[in-house]
Amino acid sequence: MGSPWKGFVEFTLPASPPTAFVSADLSSTSPVGLSLSPYGRSMSFDPGMLHNNGHTAYANGTGPGIRETGLVEKLLTSYGFIQCSERQARLFFHCSQYNGNLQELKIGDDVEFEVSSDRRTGKPIAVKLLKIKPEVLPEERISGQVVSSIPVHLDGKSAPGQAPTGSVCYERNGEVFYLTYTPDDVEGNIHLDTGDKVSFYMDTNKHTGAVSARNIQLVKKKQMRCQGVVCATKEAFGFIERADVVKEIFFHYSEFKGDLEALQAGDDVEFTIKDRNGKEVATEVRLLPQGTVIFEDISIEQFEGTVVKVIPKVPTKNQNDPLPGRISSRIGFNDKELPFGEKDTKSKVTLLEGDHIQFNISTDRRDKLERATNIDILPDTFDFTKETREMGVIAAIRDGFGFIKCVDRDARMFFHFSEVLEESQLHISDEVEFTVVPDMLSAQRNHAVRIKKLPKGSVSFNTQSEQRFMGVVEKEVVATNAKNASPTKVKEKEAEEGVIAYEDCGVKLTVPYHNKDIEGGGYPQAGDKVEFSINEVKRTGLQSAVSVRVLNRNASNAKRLIGFVATLKDNFGFIETANHDQEIFFHYSEMCGDLENLELGDTVEYTLSKGKGNKVSAEKVTKVAAVNGISEDVEATVMMGKVIRPLRSVDPSQTEYQGLIEITEEGATKGPNYPFGIMGMSNKADGLQKGELVKFHVCTVAQTGQKMASNVVPQRRAMVECVKDQFGFITYEVGESKKLFFHVKEVQDGLELQTGDEVEFSVVLNQRTGKCSACNVRRVSEGPKPVATPRPDRLVNRLKSITLDDASAPRLVIVRQPRGPDNSKGFNVERKTRQPGVID
C-alpha cells in the first residue's frame, strides 16, 4: 500500500481566495479533498477528510469548522430544503442531521450548517444543522398609513395571478418611505383600505435584504368614500343611487363640489356619508368620469326564452314592482323565470305574451338579483304568438310617426317609429306587415305595432285576372276641358270613367276603365274593340278593366309624334319637337300615366290639336322609352363658345325657342353660330345664361341636316361672396341679379367654403319659381385667410387704465347663462377672475 501522502499537490491561486471548495479525484482508487490554507494561496491534500457519515466531506468548498447559514424553505417528514443566505443555492438535508428537537423546527427558521456531498449522487447537501435563535432587539413601532390596499375579488379572495401585497408609507426626517406588506402581516385578520392610519414594525428579509412592514395594527379607519349615480335632481337637492347597497341617498346642492350647472341625472359621483338628524345624507359630492360606477354584470352569453308576462302600458295604482315583466327560459338543466323592466328591451317595440325572444342576464352587484336585459324579438316569434298580422303600404310619414294604407281596412292606420322592427328606415310606399291593437287611451282608436318591412311586391291591394277578355268600348272617358285646372282637381274628375261591354260565359257584362289603365299610344274611343284584364279591389270587391289595349278602331288614328320634355311648370309644360327647333304646349290633364315620374329630357309621344285662337297644343301625351335626342353623327372635336342667346325657358321674353352659341378662340369671337335645344344640354336642368362660356360638340340632325351644338357643358368660375349658416352667395350675374344663391348641401366633398374661395358650379333654373341657384359647387382654390385686425391703441390703453373702483368703467350684467344647441352649457373653459389692466 502506498504512502497516504501520495498525490500531494501545490499550485498558485488568484489574488482573491476562492469561496468554493473543489472535489477532485487525484488517484484511481480513492477520492481526495483539497483545503485552503489560511496563511497562503495554496491548496494541500488532507487524507483525514475522506468520509463523513457516508458523505464526502467539504463538498462545494466548505472547509472544516466553516459553517453557512440559511433559511428552512421546505420541511417534510424525514427531509427538507434550505435556501442559503450567502449565495444562490438550495440544499437538501435529512432530518437526522438536525441537532435539536425536530418538533421545534419550522419553515422559515434560520439555521446554521456545513456543506457536504452525497456519496451516491455527488450533489451538495447540508449536514450538522443547528437552529439559530433570533436575536431579540428593541424595536420601535412606526406610524403611517395605507397607500395601496391588497386587491380582492367580490367574494373576498385574493385576485388570481397577482401577488397579494399592499403598501404602507411613513415619514422620517421630511422624507416619505414606502414598505410592502402581505395579509399575514396584518394583525386581527382585518382588511385595510387605502387611507387607513396604521402602526407597524419594520422587518428585513435576511435572504433578499428587502424591507417590509409586519405586525400592522389599525389605528384609525379612513372615512369611507362611496360611489353612486345621480338618479334625480330637484330645485335645491337631489338623490343618488348608491353603488354599495340598493338604496337612494339625499344630498343638498350646497354639498356638491363642482359646477352645479353641469350636474344632471345619470352622472357618476362619489360622496361621504354622514348622519344628520338621525338620517344618512351624502356630503362632499364630486363628479367621477362617466362609466366609473357599475351596478351590474351582464353575461356575455345570450339566452332564448318566452315572454310569459308583459309590462302593462298603463301602470296600475298598486303596481310597485319596478320589474313587472317575466320571461321563462331553460338555462342549463333548470327552468328559470326572470323579471325585466321597461329599460331592458333593446327597442320600444311592443312585446306580447308568447314572444320568442333573445336576451342577456344581468346580475346586480349589490344584492345578486338576476334579471333579463337587452331583450330582442327573434324573427320567428310570429310563429309562436297568436296575433293576426295585416299588410299595407306606408302612405305618409311625419316627425316620429306615420300612417299605413291597409289592404283590408278603409281607414289609414297610425303607427309610431318606435314600433318598427329591425331598426329599418321606412319610406313612403314601403310595403309592411303589422299587428293592430287598440289604443290604451282611447278604445275607439287602433294603431299598428310590431311593424316589419317586406320585400317589394309582397303587398297587393288588388287581384288581377290571368285571363284576357275581349270587349267593345261602350262609353269613352270624358276628359276635362279646363286647361288651367290643377292636377289634383283633374284626378278628382277621373271618376268620370269609361265603360267596356263584354261577354263572359254567355253573360253580357260591363266594366269601367280609366285612362291610366290604357296601354299603348292612343285613347280608345266609342266602338273600339279592346283587350283587357279585370282587376278587383280586395277591400271593396269593386272591379275595373286594366291593361286595356286597342285592337281595332272605327275612326282613323291621329298621327302620333315624338318629342322631348323641355319645360315643366306648375300645371303645364312644353315639349321640344323631334327637329329640336320648336316647343309645343301641353297641359298636365293631357298626360297619360304617372306625372310625378316625368322629368326634363324624357321622351314622349303626343298628338297635335288646335284650341281657341287656332293655337297648337299637345294632347294624349304618353311617356315612352328613351330614344336618341340628337342624331349619332357627332363630331369628336371639342369646341369652345359663348352663349349669345339662351333657351326660351331661361328667357321667356324672346320669341325663338332655340338657344345660340358663338364659337370663340383665345377670347376672340370667330363664329360661326350653332343653335341648341334641351337635348343638346349635358345637364338638362342647367340653365345656361347669356354670355356664359361653354364647351360643346357639333352634331348633325338626321331629319333636317342642320348642324347643332351637343353635349353643352358650361365653364363657370366665380368667387364666394359670403357664407351664412346653411347657405351662401356666389359673385355671379344671372339675369338682373348679381349674386347666385347656393345651399351648403350642394358643396361637393362636404367642404366648408369661406369668403374668397374660387368655385366651379352649375346653374339650375327652378321651373316653377323662375329663380336660379347654384348646384354641384366644387372648390377650385382657397381664398386668402382673414387676418385678425389688431385692437386700436386707444382701446388697449383704455383697457389698461380700467380699475374695479372706476365708477365710469363699463359694467357687464348677465342676462342669461349660455346654452349650446343640445341644451348643454355653452362654455367648457373654466372661468378665471380677470386682473384689472391685464390683457390675455
Side-chain angles (χ1 to χ4, degrees):
M1 186 173 178
S3 169
W5 296 102
K6 177 184 176 182
F8 174 83
V9 294
E10 181 175 330
F11 54 91
T12 305
L13 290 176
S16 60
T19 59
F21 287 16
V22 181
S23 174
D25 186 2
L26 301 181
S27 72
S28 60
T29 59
S30 62
V32 299
L34 297 177
S35 63
L36 174 66
S37 170
Y39 305 105
R41 293 190 293 270
S42 63
M43 287 282 186
S44 61
F45 175 73
D46 187 353
M49 299 181 182
L50 292 177
H51 299 285
N52 186 7
N53 283 344
H55 303 292
T56 304
Y58 324 129
N60 221 16
T62 305
I66 300 178
R67 298 174 67 81
E68 292 189 33
T69 59
L71 189 72
V72 176
E73 183 186 60
K74 188 174 183 180
L75 184 61
L76 300 176
T77 306
S78 59
Y79 65 92
F81 289 90
I82 298 172
Q83 180 68 45
C84 298
S85 298
E86 288 83 6
R87 56 193 174 94
Q88 291 291 333
R90 186 171 181 262
L91 300 179
F92 170 89
F93 74 91
H94 195 273
C95 290
S96 62
Q97 293 293 322
Y98 177 66
N99 184 13
N101 186 0
L102 192 61
Q103 299 298 324
E104 297 177 355
L105 189 63
K106 297 179 181 179
I107 294 175
D109 286 348
D110 292 325
V111 293
E112 187 181 58
F113 57 90
E114 292 182 9
V115 179
S116 180
S117 63
D118 190 288
R119 183 175 58 181
R120 290 174 301 173
T121 63
K123 294 182 179 180
I125 62 174
V127 298
K128 299 181 180 180
L129 276 70
L130 184 65
K131 184 175 178 180
I132 302 174
K133 293 184 179 180
E135 184 179 1
V136 180
L137 298 175
E139 292 182 319
E140 174 191 1
R141 271 197 99 74
I142 302 172
S143 297
Q145 76 175 38
V146 179
V147 293
S148 176
S149 62
I150 297 175
V152 293
H153 276 326
L154 294 176
D155 54 6
K157 298 180 181 178
S158 299
Q162 297 181 2
T165 61
S167 62
V168 296
C169 72
Y170 67 96
E171 185 178 353
R172 183 67 56 86
N173 298 328
E175 292 187 67
V176 179
F177 299 90
Y178 294 83
L179 302 175
T180 60
Y181 73 94
T182 65
D184 295 335
D185 295 322
V186 182
E187 295 183 356
N189 194 24
I190 61 174
H191 178 73
L192 298 178
D193 294 308
T194 302
D196 288 347
K197 302 292 183 182
V198 293
S199 66
F200 53 88
Y201 293 112
M202 292 177 58
D203 184 51
T204 304
N205 188 309
K206 293 181 180 180
H207 175 61
T208 62
V211 181
S212 61
R214 64 177 175 84
N215 299 107
I216 303 174
Q217 295 179 351
L218 177 63
V219 176
K220 183 181 179 182
K221 198 74 177 173
K222 181 194 173 184
Q223 196 170 20
M224 289 296 296
R225 293 286 286 173
C226 299
Q227 293 183 344
V229 174
V230 177
C231 58
T233 55
K234 306 296 182 182
E235 289 185 5
F237 60 91
F239 291 91
I240 299 170
E241 185 176 358
R242 291 171 57 174
D244 54 342
V245 293
V246 184
K247 189 177 180 182
E248 293 181 3
I249 189 168
F250 169 91
F251 76 99
H252 194 272
Y253 286 169
S254 61
E255 293 291 344
F256 181 70
K257 310 300 181 184
D259 186 1
L260 194 58
E261 292 288 334
L263 184 67
Q264 56 186 356
D267 285 345
D268 294 355
V269 293
E270 67 172 0
F271 53 91
T272 302
I273 299 176
K274 288 187 178 180
D275 195 312
R276 290 181 180 171
N277 298 327
K279 293 184 178 180
E280 290 184 338
V281 297
T283 61
E284 298 181 24
V285 183
R286 298 181 186 275
L287 278 177
L288 291 175
Q290 201 70 19
T292 302
V293 180
I294 300 175
F295 289 108
E296 56 196 18
D297 298 307
I298 298 177
S299 65
I300 299 175
E301 182 183 1
Q302 289 189 316
F303 304 91
E304 293 185 7
T306 304
V307 177
V308 294
K309 182 181 178 183
V310 298
I311 301 172
K313 290 288 186 182
V314 181
T316 60
K317 294 182 179 179
N318 299 327
Q319 181 181 324
N320 296 321
D321 188 359
L323 304 173
R326 295 292 183 269
I327 289 173
S328 175
S329 177
R330 188 167 185 81
I331 300 174
F333 298 99
N334 300 319
D335 290 330
K336 269 192 174 183
E337 189 171 276
L338 298 170
F340 69 93
E342 289 185 356
K343 296 181 180 179
D344 291 319
T345 55
K346 274 191 174 180
S347 65
K348 297 298 181 183
V349 176
T350 300
L351 288 178
L352 298 179
E353 290 184 5
D355 266 337
H356 188 207
I357 50 92
Q358 179 177 270
F359 62 94
N360 298 91
I361 294 179
S362 170
T363 305
D364 197 306
R365 291 184 174 184
R366 301 167 293 181
D367 58 1
K368 306 303 179 184
L369 174 68
E370 290 185 339
R371 75 174 198 279
T373 190
N374 296 333
I375 300 170
D376 198 13
I377 299 176
L378 292 174
D380 63 349
T381 188
F382 303 113
D383 300 332
F384 294 85
T385 58
K386 299 178 182 179
E387 60 191 306
T388 302
R389 302 287 283 172
E390 299 187 19
M391 300 201 313
V393 174
I394 303 297
I397 290 180
R398 303 288 186 265
D399 186 14
F401 64 93
F403 294 91
I404 300 173
K405 181 182 179 183
C406 304
V407 171
D408 302 318
R409 297 172 185 260
D410 292 331
R412 296 195 305 176
M413 192 64 60
F414 170 88
F415 73 94
H416 197 276
F417 285 173
S418 61
E419 290 289 348
V420 180
L421 291 168
E422 302 172 357
E423 298 182 356
S424 54
Q425 188 75 23
L426 291 183
H427 304 87
I428 292 178
S429 78
D430 280 348
E431 300 175 13
V432 292
E433 182 185 62
F434 55 93
T435 302
V436 177
V437 297
D439 195 315
M440 291 295 180
L441 302 177
S442 175
Q444 289 77 23
R445 293 176 55 188
N446 294 328
H447 63 272
V449 297
R450 301 157 67 86
I451 300 166
K452 180 181 179 182
K453 189 175 180 180
L454 298 176
K456 285 290 185 184
S458 302
V459 178
S460 174
F461 289 88
N462 310 299
T463 55
Q464 185 171 326
S465 64
E466 296 182 0
Q467 179 185 357
R468 298 285 286 176
F469 296 89
M470 307 288 288
V472 177
V473 175
E474 191 174 89
K475 176 187 175 184
E476 61 183 90
V477 176
V478 178
T480 178
N481 293 324
K483 294 290 184 179
N484 56 354
S486 67
T488 305
K489 293 181 179 179
V490 170
K491 289 182 180 179
E492 292 175 356
K493 293 202 174 186
E494 284 183 356
E496 300 179 15
E497 54 205 10
V499 179
I500 299 174
Y502 72 103
E503 284 190 9
D504 184 17
C505 299
V507 180
K508 292 185 177 181
L509 302 170
T510 59
V511 63
Y513 75 94
H514 301 88
N515 278 345
K516 63 183 180 62
D517 297 317
I518 298 170
E519 293 182 351
Y523 291 129
Q525 298 176 0
D528 283 345
K529 189 176 182 180
V530 293
E531 183 186 37
F532 60 93
S533 299
I534 294 180
N535 179 75
E536 182 176 331
V537 180
K538 288 182 180 180
R539 189 175 66 254
T540 61
L542 294 177
Q543 293 183 341
S544 62
V546 295
S547 304
V548 181
R549 184 181 296 275
V550 179
L551 298 178
N552 180 28
R553 175 169 290 169
N554 293 337
S556 60
N557 288 330
K559 185 178 180 180
R560 301 287 288 172
L561 303 175
I562 294 293
F564 312 96
V565 177
T567 306
L568 292 173
K569 298 290 186 180
D570 279 338
N571 47 33
F572 65 92
F574 289 91
I575 299 172
E576 182 182 282
T577 61
N579 294 336
H580 313 288
D581 55 353
Q582 292 181 5
E583 60 180 358
I584 306 296
F585 170 89
F586 76 98
H587 194 271
Y588 288 168
S589 61
E590 296 291 345
M591 182 66 197
C592 302
D594 190 358
L595 187 63
E596 292 182 358
N597 295 330
L598 196 63
E599 297 179 356
L600 293 176
D602 283 349
T603 306
V604 293
E605 192 179 53
Y606 62 97
T607 303
L608 289 179
S609 67
K610 291 186 178 180
K612 294 181 180 180
N614 211 24
K615 291 183 178 180
V616 177
S617 64
E619 64 179 18
K620 300 179 182 178
V621 181
T622 307
K623 183 177 177 179
V624 297
V627 299
N628 295 327
I630 297 180
S631 171
E632 289 81 4
D633 185 12
V634 179
E635 297 179 8
T637 306
V638 178
M639 312 292 286
M640 299 295 295
K642 181 180 180 181
V643 178
I644 58 176
R645 185 179 70 205
L647 291 172
R648 188 157 61 190
S649 58
V650 176
D651 183 9
S653 61
Q654 65 187 35
T655 57
E656 299 86 354
Y657 161 70
Q658 290 178 319
L660 203 59
I661 298 174
E662 189 176 52
I663 291 182
T664 59
E665 292 183 8
E666 298 180 358
T669 301
K670 297 294 182 182
N673 300 336
Y674 292 98
F676 68 93
I678 190 69
M679 299 306 293
M681 302 282 295
S682 178
N683 180 6
K684 306 296 187 293
D686 206 341
L688 286 178
Q689 305 293 318
K690 182 178 180 180
E692 286 191 315
L693 298 178
V694 294
K695 290 193 301 186
F696 65 97
H697 297 269
V698 176
C699 65
T700 304
V701 179
Q703 296 90 329
T704 62
Q706 182 185 17
K707 290 188 176 295
M708 297 184 66
S710 176
N711 300 326
V712 181
V713 179
Q715 302 296 297
R716 300 188 183 99
R717 283 196 180 188
M719 297 294 182
V720 176
E721 182 180 277
C722 64
V723 179
K724 301 297 175 66
D725 184 21
Q726 293 293 322
F727 61 92
F729 291 93
I730 300 172
T731 306
Y732 190 80
E733 187 173 351
V734 179
E736 297 179 357
S737 176
K738 297 184 181 295
K739 295 188 294 185
L740 185 63
F741 171 88
F742 72 92
H743 197 278
V744 293
K745 291 181 180 179
E746 295 292 342
V747 181
Q748 296 183 359
D749 302 326
L751 298 176
E752 292 187 7
L753 296 181
Q754 304 291 334
T755 301
D757 289 349
E758 187 178 13
V759 292
E760 288 183 348
F761 53 92
S762 298
V763 176
V764 177
L765 175 65
N766 188 319
Q767 299 278 3
R768 303 186 189 280
T769 63
K771 294 182 178 180
C772 293
S773 62
C775 67
N776 302 327
V777 182
R778 185 176 68 87
R779 185 168 68 187
V780 178
S781 62
E782 294 188 40
K785 298 294 183 182
V787 179
T789 306
R791 288 180 173 179
D793 292 339
R794 58 179 178 77
L795 181 58
V796 174
N797 295 333
R798 170 67 173 156
L799 290 174
K800 287 182 178 180
S801 63
I802 290 177
T803 64
L804 295 178
D805 299 330
D806 188 356
S808 62
R811 291 287 186 263
L812 297 178
V813 178
I814 298 176
V815 178
R816 63 178 176 83
Q817 293 292 341
R819 291 280 181 181
D822 57 352
N823 205 30
S824 63
K825 190 171 181 181
F827 300 107
N828 296 323
V829 181
E830 184 180 355
R831 293 185 176 180
K832 297 179 180 178
T833 305
R834 191 184 71 81
Q835 298 297 327
V838 178
I839 301 175
D840 293 335

